[in-house]
Amino acid sequence: MNLFEYQGKELLRRFEVPVPEGRVARSPEEARDAARYLGGKVVVKAQVQVGARGKQGGVELVDSPDEAAAATERILDVEFMEQNAFALVQRRSRGAQLTPEDEERISKAAPIKATRVLVERAGDIADEYYCAFLVDRSNRAFLGMMSAQGGMDIEKVAEDDPSAIARVHIDPLLGISDFHARRLVFGARINPDAVKGAVAIIPKLYRAFVEMDASQIEINPLVLTGDGKVVALDAKVTLDDSAAFRHPIFDELKAAHEVPEQERLAKEKGLNFIKLEGNVGIIGNGAGLVMSTLDVVNAAGGEPANFLDVGGGASADILSAGLEVITSNPEVRSVFVNIFGGITRCDLVAEGILDALGRLEVKVPLVVRLDGTNAEQGRKMLADAPHPMLRTANTMLGAAELAVELSRAGI
Amino acid sequence: MAILIDDTTRLVVQGLTGREGSFHAKRNRDYGTNLVAGVTPGKGGTDVDGTPVFDTVAEAVAETGADTSMVFVPARFAADAVLEAHDAGCDTIICITENIPAMDMARTVSHIRHSRRGVLIGPNCPGVISPGKANVGIIPGEICEPGPIGLVSRSGTLVYQIVNELTQKGLGQSTCVGIGGDPIPGSDFIDILEKFEADAQTEAVVLVGEIGGDAEERAAAWARENMTKPVIAYIAGRTAPPGKRMGHAGAIVSGSKGTAAAKTDALEAAGIRVGRNPTEVAEIVAEIRA
């Protein structure tokens, strides 16, 4: 789960990481009150999870409560784009010729709107840094990173000048020691005035990272203020959903996130669903097999409408619910059910398919491919219950081709 | 030969009395795996279909000589179960459980690596099968055949898909290993490639990767320097959109790193052929073996 900035800062505050004083507002009126309470100059920041938020008009610095209200009105109206699409728009505005695929990606990018702003007291910024902790898969350890080039796209910094980023691995069993913080701070060659504050903040960030079961905490920028304090001006925190059982607050944090209707429905039913832009509905078991299914459908000239993994040991109910979620998307022209049973039993899969066909008004063809545990039994159940919308195939590639062909045939 | 498990394996199942644990342990035993014990705290002294159950792994090891553990306990207890098996001296631990917090695995994997003893496979994996010898996990035994091909995969169901394609082409397997799709796996591709390189039965290795992280790139670099046996690869997620987490915690592409294209380039640069789909992977293996 990726937290909004205001949520991330609330968590950091609990670990005594200095963050600017601020209040969340859902309307211009609330923003006016917040600005009045804070007094003086404030910054109004859209609470959205997109890159280049500032460049897209999501951050404004204002002098008065009335201006804060006006800025909030503008910001809540902005249609943000996801970072990749926005990067393409920027390239185009600089005169670059985009490919038809890139143009299509821009036109298909769904607009994202903020429902909240964070109103914060604005301060002088003397210098900006970057600091992060994350789970490093390559080393099976934790990785701390720091750079004097804060406020910039860190992936670009990493590409242009890798030496500008100090890195230190931390053994999860040992935990952080002060030398780790010193290696980051001195390694990043930050302003000497900020050294003491940064060395103090780093162990606090690490504690927040470990104790909150985060998979990543990124502070960009970490700033040195005019009066010599080191403060986290932004916070990108990703929490590990698997640890929700020991953090009651995760549910509360999650409630602030709006998920598209179809994804919410899927989640309720325990399905792993991601909406895509095409018209071939996909259901499979296991993330790897479903990704591979998307690939073969693409290779056959089709466009997947979604990613849907029913997981291991899926029951008939789950299969049936999955079909319901997929066929509720009006774009879908055909559905490819690709199951290789291990822990999942193909007879239960067949039962779920038959249940969905009986229960729902399925208007698009289903192409079903069953292999693995109890496949014979499952195939026989489908053969014994013919349905005009039901087709079967023996191989994954054959099924992909058939599903793509049917998606083109129209209804 | 074969790697990790064979007909000398003595298996203890942690979580044997649970619904999933008993179902799959029974299937593993029916396959011919030497299932010697189960562990469920508080149920010591009972048995499941004749297999004795103990309260602790230490007792199970002392009484039955178990040397391999399969962990089938719920996620919140799973890291503890892995540590218990390691402490009791099980040198092969295969953890099937998914959704274990990454913080728990970070500490557990660090501890096992510091001890310089034992191998952890998983978590969030389908297990390991050495066809004809032993099956520990949830891979359907009936699709496998004994033979010379080693297989290592981050994805579970892709193990089944590709093993099935191999078997249909008459290409049997030495051992198939699902290392799991978690951010912190107990073993990575390199750990398993090293074992296949040293294994007399294995003559070629299929590596099944997916988008996200750099495990495939590191494996490619390692294989170029260290593998004398041919490696054939597959990468799932060529067409996955960036920024979307596709089920596995590891399978997310951010920025330019971790894409299927980058992985394919790295593998091909190391002389490893990459199939575009599971069927083509088996075709390439057949071609190399012809």
Side-chain angles (χ1 to χ4, degrees):
Chain A
M1 170 175 40
N2 296 317
L3 299 186
F4 288 120
E5 176 192 5
Y6 78 91
Q7 296 179 313
K9 284 178 168 169
E10 272 169 27
L11 288 185
L12 293 181
R13 216 176 259 128
R14 297 178 176 202
F15 292 87
E16 295 166 1
V17 175
V19 296
E21 194 175 0
R23 290 193 156 193
V24 178
R26 290 167 163 272
S27 66
E29 293 69 40
E30 285 183 18
R32 183 183 285 115
D33 289 347
R36 194 172 288 137
Y37 169 81
L38 293 166
K41 258 191 194 288
V42 294
V43 56
V44 182
K45 302 165 92 177
Q47 296 302 290
V48 280
Q49 292 167 338
V50 296
R53 174 179 63 172
K55 284 183 190 150
Q56 299 196 52
V59 179
E60 293 196 35
L61 182 65
V62 297
D63 288 312
S64 71
D66 284 343
E67 282 179 37
T72 300
E73 188 151 9
R74 283 191 293 276
I75 288 172
L76 293 180
D77 248 6
V78 173
E79 295 196 333
F80 293 94
M81 297 178 87
E82 53 98 4
Q83 189 166 7
N84 295 313
F86 183 69
L88 291 171
V89 169
Q90 281 191 306
R91 268 177 54 204
R92 187 171 60 188
S93 68
R94 285 195 299 265
Q97 188 73 36
L98 298 189
T99 63
E101 291 83 41
D102 284 344
E103 291 286 356
E104 197 184 327
R105 192 184 289 175
I106 293 173
S107 68
K108 275 188 172 173
I112 302 162
K113 292 187 83 169
T115 58
R116 297 176 189 78
V117 295
L118 177 60
V119 183
E120 279 185 341
R121 181 169 288 147
D124 296 338
I125 296 172
D127 219 346
E128 298 188 311
Y129 314 115
Y130 171 93
C131 185
F133 283 103
L134 54 105
V135 173
D136 180 22
R137 305 191 292 197
S138 308
N139 288 283
R140 287 178 270 190
F142 300 144
L143 176 65
M145 295 197 286
M146 184 146 201
S147 173
Q149 299 188 31
M152 304 180 41
D153 177 357
I154 199 67
E155 285 181 14
K156 196 167 178 333
V157 174
E159 220 167 85
D160 297 347
D161 182 10
S163 71
I165 302 175
R167 296 160 201 263
V168 60
H169 281 105
I170 299 172
D171 185 325
L173 285 178
L174 180 63
I176 198 159
S177 198
D178 286 345
F179 82 86
H180 290 118
R182 292 197 300 272
R183 273 190 57 189
L184 287 173
V185 168
F186 290 110
R189 297 183 295 275
I190 65 171
N191 188 328
D193 294 341
V195 163
K196 210 174 155 198
V199 168
I201 228 175
I202 284 171
K204 294 175 180 169
L205 282 173
Y206 179 85
R207 267 191 57 214
F209 168 72
V210 171
E211 289 181 24
M212 287 314 299
D213 272 289
S215 36
Q216 182 167 328
I217 289 186
E218 188 179 63
I219 309 298
N220 191 18
L222 180 73
V223 301
L224 173 64
T225 63
D227 52 357
K229 294 198 178 78
V230 177
V231 177
L233 209 58
D234 196 358
K236 283 204 179 73
V237 176
T238 305
L239 300 177
D240 178 1
D241 294 315
S242 297
F245 67 85
R246 59 188 172 210
H247 299 285
I249 194 180
F250 279 21
D251 275 345
E252 202 179 298
L253 294 166
K254 194 164 265 174
H257 294 256
E258 277 156 45
V259 271
E261 179 58 18
Q262 232 189 343
E263 295 193 15
R264 196 188 54 76
L265 197 69
K267 200 141 215 176
E268 257 178 37
K269 298 186 167 152
L271 304 165
N272 185 353
F273 175 89
I274 296 164
K275 186 170 181 325
L276 302 171
E277 305 302 329
N279 60 14
V280 181
I282 308 280
I283 295 189
N285 62 321
L289 183 64
V290 182
M291 276 192 272
S292 181
T293 308
L294 302 185
D295 294 346
V296 295
V297 164
N298 256 292
E303 290 230 29
N306 64 276
F307 168 100
L308 197 161
D309 171 14
V310 294
S315 66
D317 286 351
I318 287 180
L319 238 291
S320 179
L323 279 169
E324 183 172 1
V325 168
I326 285 185
T327 53
S328 72
N329 174 0
E331 300 293 318
V332 166
R333 292 285 173 270
S334 69
V335 179
F336 177 7
V337 182
N338 189 19
I339 302 289
F340 208 118
I343 205 164
T344 304
R345 289 165 45 186
C346 290
D347 54 323
L348 296 182
V349 171
E351 193 184 314
I353 292 168
L354 295 175
D355 173 72
L357 287 172
R359 193 166 57 86
L360 311 167
E361 203 186 329
V362 177
K363 293 185 190 146
V364 296
L366 307 186
V367 179
V368 181
R369 176 269 179 153
L370 300 177
D371 246 317
T373 307
N374 297 353
E376 288 293 325
Q377 216 177 318
R379 288 185 202 134
K380 184 168 183 308
M381 286 165 66
L382 296 181
D384 290 348
H387 184 283
M389 288 298 156
L390 182 62
R391 306 283 292 269
T392 56
N394 293 328
T395 65
M396 177 162 154
L397 293 184
E401 277 161 16
L402 181 57
V404 171
E405 190 191 313
L406 292 170
S407 75
R408 289 192 181 130
I411 307 163
Chain B
M1 291 287 279
I3 67 167
L4 296 166
I5 57 168
D6 59 24
D7 38 23
T8 66
T9 293
R10 298 179 66 78
L11 179 68
V12 52
V13 175
Q14 293 173 262
L16 179 67
T17 57
R19 193 170 55 91
E20 303 260 306
S22 61
F23 177 76
H24 290 285
K26 184 169 182 304
R27 279 176 42 128
N28 289 168
R29 191 188 62 188
D30 292 348
Y31 188 79
T33 312
N34 192 11
L35 172 65
V36 297
V39 170
T40 301
K43 292 198 177 161
T46 62
D47 74 272
V48 173
D49 289 340
T51 302
V53 175
F54 299 88
D55 289 319
T56 65
V57 182
E59 283 175 80
V61 168
E63 295 293 322
T64 67
D67 57 10
T68 299
S69 174
M70 172 161 74
V71 176
F72 237 118
V73 307
R76 64 175 77 186
F77 312 116
D80 175 64
V82 169
L83 290 170
E84 183 185 356
H86 181 259
D87 176 71
C90 289
D91 277 347
T92 304
I93 303 170
I94 297 170
C95 182
I96 311 298
T97 306
E98 61 181 337
N99 297 322
I100 302 176
M103 287 294 160
D104 293 1
M105 284 323 296
R107 295 187 190 100
T108 303
V109 169
S110 177
H111 174 67
I112 292 175
R113 280 158 59 105
H114 284 312
S115 76
R116 300 187 180 277
R117 169 177 72 77
V119 179
L120 171 65
I121 304 292
N124 187 14
C125 83
V128 180
I129 183 168
S130 294
K133 300 187 180 80
N135 187 7
V136 178
I138 63 177
I139 299 172
E142 58 276 15
I143 57 173
C144 303
E145 284 291 335
I149 313 297
L151 187 146
V152 55
S153 172
R154 268 166 79 182
S155 151
T157 38
L158 277 176
V159 172
Y160 318 159
Q161 180 66 36
I162 292 178
V163 163
N164 197 44
E165 306 267 7
L166 290 170
T167 299
Q168 283 175 359
K169 290 208 153 37
L171 298 159
Q173 306 89 40
S174 52
T175 303
C176 305
V177 184
I179 55 174
D182 264 19
I184 303 206
S187 297
D188 66 9
F189 284 125
I190 295 171
D191 298 324
I192 306 302
L193 288 176
E194 201 169 0
K195 292 185 190 302
F196 278 135
E197 176 67 14
D199 174 47
Q201 184 183 342
T202 305
E203 294 171 20
V205 181
V206 174
L207 180 153
V208 182
E210 62 189 26
I211 52 167
D214 66 350
E216 292 80 3
E217 287 88 333
R218 285 182 294 114
W222 187 89
R224 189 217 290 259
E225 298 300 319
N226 300 286
M227 291 289 289
T228 59
K229 300 174 183 178
V231 180
I232 301 91
Y234 174 68
I235 304 292
R238 264 161 209 282
T239 58
K244 299 277 190 188
R245 173 173 156 169
M246 292 282 180
H248 288 166
I252 180 167
V253 175
S254 51
S256 57
K257 276 184 262 166
T259 62
K263 290 174 187 298
T264 303
D265 288 349
L267 289 160
E268 286 178 345
I272 295 170
R273 287 178 66 184
V274 182
R276 282 167 306 171
N277 56 57
T279 310
E280 195 179 281
V281 171
E283 284 165 5
I284 295 172
V285 179
E287 194 186 306
I288 286 175
R289 306 270 314 155

